[in-house]
Amino acid sequence: MLRLLKFILLLIVIIGASVGGTMLFLNRTGMTSPAAQTANTPPAAPPVVPAPIFAELEPFTVTLYGETRNRILYTAITLRLADEPSRKQIQDYMPEVRDRILKVLSAQELARIQTPDGRLALSTAIKNELSRPFATQLPGPQVSDVLFTAFVVQ
């Protein structure tokens, strides 16, 4: 029994010396375990998300002609733009921006814009219309999204 206890104690000392020698070797050569590497490196900085650029437009009121009777569409629109030059261009050409949107709104069918798919199609039509250049020497503004902040049909 004493002999078995000595054997187990010797085995523990040999394993401990082996692990200790390996750790000493790895630390001297600069190699460390992946866990030790992640503990020593500073946490990565979170990615910088640019602030959104919006252009809020005055509300629009348009008469929609239906089969049985006419209705009034009241809508407020906010444009989400890709960059600051697009926002400046929208502001500089505001009368033309409003004219283009009014033409798109007044061409809508009453039954169509009262559905979610119809509103999505309206949003896409406004986005496409506003992405066209306002002057031949300028590129069109980069409109990312058209957001309806009010949408009432009476």
Side-chain angles (χ1 to χ4, degrees):
M1 180 76 173
L2 188 60
R3 189 173 189 173
L4 180 63
L5 189 60
K6 286 183 181 179
F7 178 73
I8 291 174
L9 187 62
L10 180 64
L11 190 61
I12 290 173
V13 169
I14 291 173
I15 291 174
S18 173
V19 169
T22 302
M23 293 293 286
L24 182 67
F25 174 75
L26 290 178
N27 284 338
R28 283 192 180 173
T29 60
M31 295 172 32
T32 57
S33 68
Q37 287 178 352
T38 57
N40 292 338
T41 58
V48 177
V49 177
I53 300 172
F54 294 108
E56 187 174 342
L57 306 178
E58 292 291 321
F60 294 88
T61 304
V62 179
T63 302
L64 299 175
Y65 299 98
E67 291 179 16
T68 57
R69 63 185 216 190
N70 299 338
R71 298 282 183 111
I72 300 293
L73 169 65
Y74 172 85
T75 183
I77 296 174
T78 300
L79 303 174
R80 184 176 188 145
L81 303 164
D83 53 15
E84 194 61 36
S86 294
R87 187 182 64 76
K88 175 142 177 34
Q89 190 175 11
I90 291 289
Q91 286 178 343
D92 291 346
Y93 288 90
M94 187 57 70
E96 192 170 345
V97 167
R98 290 190 60 81
D99 179 65
R100 288 183 183 186
I101 292 174
L102 281 170
K103 287 177 182 174
V104 170
L105 290 174
S106 62
Q108 298 303 308
E109 296 175 2
L110 180 60
R112 176 112 170 102
I113 64 168
Q114 290 182 323
T115 65
D117 290 337
R119 287 190 193 133
L120 183 61
L122 176 60
S123 173
T124 303
I126 292 172
K127 180 179 173 182
N128 292 339
E129 189 66 27
L130 293 179
S131 295
R132 290 187 310 124
F134 292 107
T136 55
Q137 60 271 30
L138 290 175
Q142 296 178 352
V143 180
S144 302
D145 203 2
V146 175
L147 308 168
F148 295 108
T149 53
F151 199 91
V152 179
V153 177
Q154 289 184 338

